[in-house]
Amino acid sequence: MITPVLPTYARAPLAFVEGQGPWLIDEKGDRYFDLGAGIAVNVLGHANPTLVSALEDQARRLWHTSNLYRIPNQEKLAELLVEHTFADTMFFTNSGAEAMECAIKMARKFHSHAGNPERFRVITFEGSFHGRTLATISAAGGEKLTKGFGPLLPGFDHAVYGDLESVKALIGPETAAIAIEPILGEGGIIQPERAFLKALREICDAEGLLLIMDEIQTGVGRTGKLFAHEWAGVTPDIMAIAKGIGGGFPLGACLATERAAAGMTAGTHGSTYGGNPLGCAVGVAVMETVTGPGFLEEVNRLAGALRQKLEGLISAHPTVLESVRGEGLMIGIRCKAANMDVVNAGYDARLLVVPAADNAIRLLPPLNITDAEIDEAMARLDAACVAVEAAQREAAG
Ligand SMILES: *Cc1c(COP(=O)(O)O)cnc(C)c1O
């Protein structure tokens, strides 16, 4: 018999009822160390007092008015994001997929508004992930996402991630934009050369295309810069964000330059809930914290320390872990053992890590994790590796 909740997730049999910083507490009172942070969402940990009070203050005053009216928190958050990014303007959403939808619509509208409605195609990349709506699964294109859901939305051409020639081969008179995750998240924490992102920017400029960055997972300090594209020294024309910006409250946004947003006039796009007072109150508190003095420097220092410890664990457990990659606190470990064996051994060691493609696990800790907490997490990952080794020995007889 089908469960009351549609069974689209292969869930772990764990149910958490409380969180404290990097800790999650389950129904039995067991404490788990959370190295996944709700898939890169809880950037300031669980039940962060600053975020709780921002939400509580707003919750006592006003929850929802709709976008029929001005929303002061929304304007404040937009001003903060404009101040700290390439963007001049933005549209608020409730999720990442909606932010990417807006990005795709905006790119099409840009060309149609400029008198080139035939330019509607977007070059995207194999192995990428942009959300689960029809447009965003069409954009990503992978069989796992799209099978059985056709016909898909036309207008996406899939290049090979990191391969410039494959991008160039797809550009034609109908091409409107290139959309890319600066680091593949669900795809296994795969990073292209910085020169690749630079080259995409150059191609976009030369061909009159818009560059769309999907920074839904990489953004808001995760990689040690406020946004990952800063590492490559290039800026997009349009950027989708979500996950970290709400610190756990559903919130996303599609940021753009004034030029790219030219066609998005009153009545062209909308959302009932997008940019509601509650989400934006939390978003402002997240932005103020992450852009505060020394915050990102500390993320980079912690990332270096964690990375060093992970190299040690990889050397100590060569039959379980293979290599580490990623940027800042967006870390992927390619496993030698099956990645789900490591994830499950983690559960037994009361440690939460997130699987990804390419037999990887992801470590996406809260950005305000401490050195002592990193040591605690590494002790648990070590214990999980020891357990996987024991199972390997048993299987070998
Ligand atoms: C999570 C994610 C999305 C989708 O966000 P939702 O909030 O689940 O719709 C899109 N792109 C990337 C890169 C993501 O990591």
Side-chain angles (χ1 to χ4, degrees):
M1 204 169 67
I2 196 164
T3 47
V5 176
L6 193 71
T8 57
Y9 301 102
R11 296 175 198 265
L14 298 168
F16 298 107
V17 292
E18 205 179 317
Q20 295 164 356
W23 295 96
L24 279 171
I25 297 126
D26 74 3
E27 294 168 315
K28 291 172 286 179
D30 287 336
R31 292 166 67 84
Y32 287 71
F33 197 99
D34 184 9
L35 271 182
I39 318 184
V41 167
N42 305 100
V43 281
L44 301 179
H46 299 285
N48 178 279
T50 308
L51 302 194
V52 170
S53 84
L55 185 61
E56 276 181 352
D57 286 352
Q58 186 58 47
R60 266 187 234 101
R61 262 181 253 274
L62 184 65
W63 289 21
H64 175 78
T65 56
S66 89
N67 286 297
L68 290 169
Y69 315 105
R70 290 179 45 216
I71 298 175
N73 287 345
Q74 200 185 102
E75 293 172 5
K76 190 169 173 192
L77 177 55
E79 281 159 17
L80 275 171
L81 281 161
V82 164
E83 183 188 334
H84 289 283
T85 69
F86 73 94
D88 304 311
T89 188
M90 68 203 62
F91 179 87
F92 286 101
T93 68
N94 310 290
S95 68
E98 289 168 282
M100 272 308 287
E101 286 272 345
C102 180
I104 294 161
K105 285 180 73 175
M106 189 184 284
R108 287 185 172 190
K109 190 74 162 186
F110 170 82
H111 290 287
S112 131
H113 183 74
N116 304 305
E118 75 287 355
R119 299 186 76 165
F120 70 94
R121 306 191 69 84
V122 179
I123 296 173
T124 55
F125 292 89
E126 289 169 8
S128 60
F129 181 79
H130 298 299
R132 296 287 196 153
T133 63
L134 269 170
T136 54
I137 63 171
S138 305
E143 156 115 1
K144 211 177 134 212
L145 299 168
T146 58
K147 195 176 178 199
F149 292 117
L152 299 177
L153 187 72
F156 296 101
D157 299 307
H158 301 98
V160 176
Y161 196 72
D163 178 348
L164 204 55
E165 292 312 311
S166 78
V167 175
K168 287 182 183 160
L170 290 172
I171 295 174
E174 295 184 343
T175 307
I178 299 174
I180 186 166
E181 291 170 80
I183 300 173
L184 295 182
E186 303 305 305
I189 317 289
I190 312 250
Q191 240 179 317
E193 303 278 328
R194 285 179 189 164
F196 179 68
L197 296 179
K198 274 203 168 77
L200 291 185
R201 177 72 270 175
E202 283 160 18
I203 290 176
C204 285
D205 292 340
E207 303 282 342
L209 313 178
L210 297 176
L211 182 59
I212 301 172
M213 295 268 188
D214 179 345
E215 292 239 21
I216 291 166
Q217 192 159 153
T218 51
V220 196
R222 174 57 52 193
T223 68
K225 296 271 191 198
L226 190 56
F227 291 101
H229 65 258
E230 295 170 36
W231 286 115
V234 299
T235 56
D237 302 290
I238 301 174
M239 173 170 75
I241 71 171
K243 292 201 166 87
I245 190 63
F249 197 95
L251 177 65
C254 176
L255 284 66
T257 61
E258 182 168 13
R259 177 176 164 269
M264 302 300 284
T265 53
T268 55
H269 196 47
S271 165
T272 300
Y273 293 122
N276 66 81
L278 295 169
C280 289
V282 181
V284 166
V286 168
M287 272 300 286
E288 284 175 346
T289 306
V290 173
T291 60
F295 188 91
L296 290 176
E297 286 82 349
E298 182 64 2
V299 169
N300 286 302
R301 189 191 65 77
L302 289 162
L306 177 52
R307 193 69 174 244
Q308 210 167 7
K309 292 187 168 130
L310 287 171
E311 298 285 4
L313 276 188
I314 289 166
S315 313
H317 304 288
T319 64
V320 183
L321 308 177
E322 191 175 298
S323 56
V324 60
R325 59 202 184 198
E327 194 78 68
L329 290 174
M330 184 175 189
I331 297 169
I333 302 175
R334 190 161 201 281
C335 297
K336 202 66 168 258
N339 64 345
M340 282 312 296
D341 288 351
V342 181
V343 171
N344 288 323
Y347 295 149
D348 292 337
R350 303 286 185 267
L351 175 76
L352 307 178
V353 296
V354 184
D358 195 37
N359 200 39
I361 58 170
R362 273 178 286 176
L363 312 187
L364 308 159
L367 304 182
N368 58 357
I369 192 171
T370 64
D371 290 294
E373 287 164 348
I374 286 177
D375 288 344
E376 178 66 42
M378 290 304 98
R380 286 166 190 244
L381 186 55
D382 187 42
C385 291
V386 168
V388 173
E389 284 163 348
Q392 286 172 335
R393 275 196 304 274
E394 196 158 313

